[in-house]
Amino acid sequence: MRAEAHTSRHKQAIRHAPPRHAACNSLLRRETGEQALHRWSKLSTMTSALATPRSERGTPPTDRASRIRYEPAALFCQDLMSETSPRLFIVSPHFDDAVFGCGALLASHPDAAVCTVFAAPPEQDMQTEWDGKAGFASAYESMRARTIEDNHALAVLETIPVRLPFRDAQYHDSPSVSKLAATLEETIYGSTANTLLMPLGLFHDDHCLVFEACCEILPRMSHLEWFAYEEAIYRQIPGLVQQRLVDLAERGIVATPASPSTDHAPDHERQTLLKREAVCAYESQLRAFGPHGYDDVFASERYWRLTVDRQHRHRH
């Protein structure tokens, strides 16, 4: 009976999925009902693991290496990544940033992890200008809908969602750089990733905050391969990318144009189709950006390999 109810809920979820943007309909890939149900079942298992109350996970041990699995985001990473062994870990400020900036890359790396930093609603409900543009009457309504949109987008790309308990700047409760850096570092340690992608930190306060936190932990985790991705839409602002590259150099971090490697030849047509379908899942955000405000998300993705200049750090 329980299994039947579980299956029924997923069928309803698929049936009531949010409508896709009209411009995307002709480019969507075809899949059977069984395939869609499988993706939703997999996603539900991941989400329920993250939602398990702390009281049901036992008493955290005192040593750091063991304690990591009791933290919500780290629990999610360790329990699920050990099963699927993703190697790519993408830090996404908001629900849509990783897909907008790295969707084609994700399409060729199934079971990569996308870590959304600002995934929590505000403590008190409120109304904001951006949520209003996206079609929402309140922050709570917005976060519920955006989480569902993100579930759809990441399921299209067969990507594992990891969500941190921080709040968007528009909700007036941003974490400190040090607190965010500590949480990110512990979450990454709990994963099996060997390649990290961080935002270049363009324009938006939340993006800049995530950039600062990543720059803080990069030297301590330089045994991993690091890349920065140019955030779609914001990278169009003249001079912004160049300013950030100068900033990285001043921090002793060398940025070289490069893309993360893949173990097979990419199917560019498939990558394009899957990214477009995933992007179209974020219907509320496309509405907020306006009819042509998000065209840049379909342009070529750009990445920078990041390495620590040890001589620079020694001099300073």
Side-chain angles (χ1 to χ4, degrees):
M1 181 68 179
R2 184 178 301 173
E4 292 175 358
H6 179 75
T7 302
S8 176
R9 285 197 299 272
H10 286 295
K11 287 181 177 177
Q12 289 178 352
I14 295 168
R15 191 179 303 120
H16 295 100
R20 295 183 174 92
H21 199 273
C24 301
N25 288 340
S26 63
L27 292 168
L28 302 184
R29 64 173 181 162
R30 297 181 181 274
E31 68 177 356
T32 66
E34 289 78 12
Q35 288 172 325
L37 182 59
H38 171 72
R39 288 201 285 115
W40 272 89
S41 298
K42 178 180 178 183
L43 189 61
S44 174
T45 302
M46 297 173 182
T47 305
S48 63
L50 184 59
T52 302
R54 181 181 295 273
S55 60
E56 296 178 19
R57 297 202 295 266
T59 303
T62 55
D63 62 292
R64 183 182 185 279
S66 300
R67 190 178 69 245
I68 187 170
R69 68 176 182 272
Y70 285 87
E71 296 302 321
L75 170 80
F76 193 60
C77 285
Q78 193 170 58
D79 289 354
L80 296 172
M81 290 185 183
S82 60
E83 179 182 348
T84 56
S85 297
R87 307 298 285 165
L88 212 63
F89 189 102
I90 300 182
V91 181
S92 181
H94 305 110
F95 284 122
D96 49 25
D97 292 314
V99 172
F100 283 6
C102 311
L105 178 69
L106 285 168
S108 62
H109 287 79
D111 288 330
V114 169
C115 178
T116 302
V117 174
F118 302 105
E123 286 192 10
Q124 301 294 327
D125 204 2
M126 63 177 69
Q127 294 177 318
T128 68
E129 181 181 0
W130 182 258
D131 284 343
K133 287 182 178 180
F136 302 118
S138 71
Y140 285 175
E141 179 188 357
S142 170
M143 293 303 291
R144 282 194 298 268
R146 292 186 67 184
T147 301
I148 293 172
E149 290 176 347
D150 194 51
N151 287 345
H152 278 271
L154 299 187
V156 167
L157 299 171
E158 299 182 5
T159 298
I160 297 174
V162 180
R163 287 160 184 162
L164 302 187
F166 299 115
R167 298 183 178 93
D168 194 313
Q170 66 175 332
Y171 301 140
H172 313 298
D173 187 21
S174 298
S176 65
V177 172
S178 59
K179 182 176 182 179
L180 176 52
T183 303
L184 269 175
E185 186 171 9
E186 192 164 10
T187 303
I188 294 167
Y189 268 121
S191 77
T192 62
N194 62 4
T195 303
L196 276 292
L197 282 88
M198 57 179 270
L200 203 50
L202 304 178
F203 182 71
H204 196 295
D205 287 346
D206 287 335
H207 290 233
C208 295
L209 180 59
V210 172
F211 170 83
E212 293 288 341
C214 288
C215 285
E216 182 174 312
I217 64 177
L218 191 159
R220 299 196 294 267
M221 305 186 76
S222 58
H223 59 287
L224 302 175
E225 195 169 21
W226 283 80
F227 291 85
Y229 62 92
E230 296 182 11
E231 295 101 302
I233 302 174
Y234 300 136
R235 63 181 176 174
Q236 299 178 101
I237 300 174
L240 211 55
V241 171
Q242 289 75 14
Q243 290 175 10
R244 187 55 88 193
L245 296 177
V246 171
D247 179 29
L248 284 167
E250 291 175 347
R251 296 168 186 259
I253 299 174
V254 179
T256 307
S259 295
S261 60
T262 181
D263 57 2
H264 57 275
D267 182 340
H268 296 295
E269 182 178 1
R270 178 178 179 276
Q271 287 178 319
T272 299
L273 291 173
L274 289 179
K275 177 173 181 175
R276 188 171 290 270
E277 181 179 356
V279 166
C280 290
Y282 298 106
E283 186 178 7
S284 67
Q285 303 309 290
L286 302 186
R287 183 186 302 117
F289 279 115
H292 298 289
Y294 57 88
D295 290 347
D296 182 59
V297 304
F298 300 120
S300 297
E301 298 170 3
R302 292 196 294 268
Y303 301 94
W304 299 83
R305 184 189 302 275
L306 304 180
T307 55
V308 176
D309 182 350
R310 299 296 179 185
Q311 292 183 344
H312 178 279
R313 297 186 68 83
H314 180 72
R315 290 194 300 269
H316 293 78

